[in-house]
Amino acid sequence: MRIVIAGGHGRIALRLERLLSAAGHEVAGIIRNPKQGDDLRAAGAEPVLLDLESASVEEAAAVLQGAGAAVFAAGAGPGSGTERKDTVDRAAAVLFADAAERAGVRRYIVVSSMGADAEHQGDEVFDAYLRAKGAADDYVRSRTGLEWTILRPGILTDDAGNGLVRLEVSTGRGPVPRDDVAAVLAEMVETPATAGLTLELISGSTPVTVAVKDIAGN
């Protein structure tokens, strides 16, 4: 399967690219900076240059042509201000969803955030981030042409993953290694029965494969 990942140089995305490529998938990662291309190639992914903050739906749809799944893992990142939380974490996610529909890519997975809520209150940059992610999630859930799954990890760490997680509609707060987030995403790509679910993820005691299959069966 061809899988296109927005935010292809992100710390979760690079891990996901390695897993999907190792599983035999054709993986493309969208990046803005051509200097990041070698990192994607090393992860087994094809780098695709596209700025989702300025691209049209048609330009993004062209990248998605022929894909079996799309993963939105882009983010404005730490140090960015309120404005980019809106243009990346909300608007780029909306554009990528529209582009997936335009290209006929039904499977659409979003890396969101625990606590994302379009009505979240507060004046800090992180509050704006949670509002932006929440608004993007709401938009994706409204798209009848997408088989969407929204994954909301807890506190992300760079600890080595152990493949043991807790994946539920509501988990409560907790940490989770990026390794394990990527492993769950890779499993979700191949588990379309998770479509229509918004799920929280933290470290736990259930193997990733079992956790995804269990929640898909509910």
Side-chain angles (χ1 to χ4, degrees), residues 14 17 34 36-47:
L14 286 168
E17 287 155 5
Q36 297 171 341
D38 286 344
D39 291 339
L40 269 71
R41 293 184 191 97
E46 167 202 353

Side-chain angles (χ1 to χ4, degrees), residues 162-176:
N162 64 6
L164 298 174
V165 299
R166 183 178 174 191
L167 179 68
E168 297 172 13
V169 172
S170 179
T171 61
R173 294 194 175 275
V176 61

Side-chain angles (χ1 to χ4, degrees), residues 11-22:
R11 285 184 282 177
I12 291 172
L14 286 168
R15 289 167 166 84
L16 177 59
E17 287 155 5
R18 291 188 193 97
L19 292 174
L20 293 173
S21 176

Side-chain angles (χ1 to χ4, degrees), residues 94-155:
V94 166
L95 179 134
F96 201 56
D98 287 345
E101 280 197 296
R102 181 77 57 90
V105 181
R106 292 189 60 82
R107 190 73 178 111
Y108 190 86
I109 300 173
V110 178
V111 183
S112 184
S113 174
M114 194 173 289
D117 181 354
E119 303 301 321
H120 180 83
Q121 300 299 306
D123 300 321
E124 301 298 322
V125 172
F126 189 69
D127 299 319
Y129 168 75
L130 292 177
R131 283 193 293 274
K133 295 298 282 186
D137 291 353
D138 288 346
Y139 184 82
V140 169
R141 285 189 289 238
S142 76
R143 310 315 298 164
T144 57
L146 298 177
E147 295 171 355
W148 53 264
T149 304
I150 294 170
L151 183 65
R152 293 177 166 177
I155 301 164

Side-chain angles (χ1 to χ4, degrees), residues 49-74:
L49 282 176
L50 186 70
D51 184 350
L52 290 173
E53 285 183 270
S54 60
S56 67
V57 171
E58 290 75 16
E59 288 170 330
V63 173
L64 285 158
Q65 286 295 331
V71 180
F72 186 84

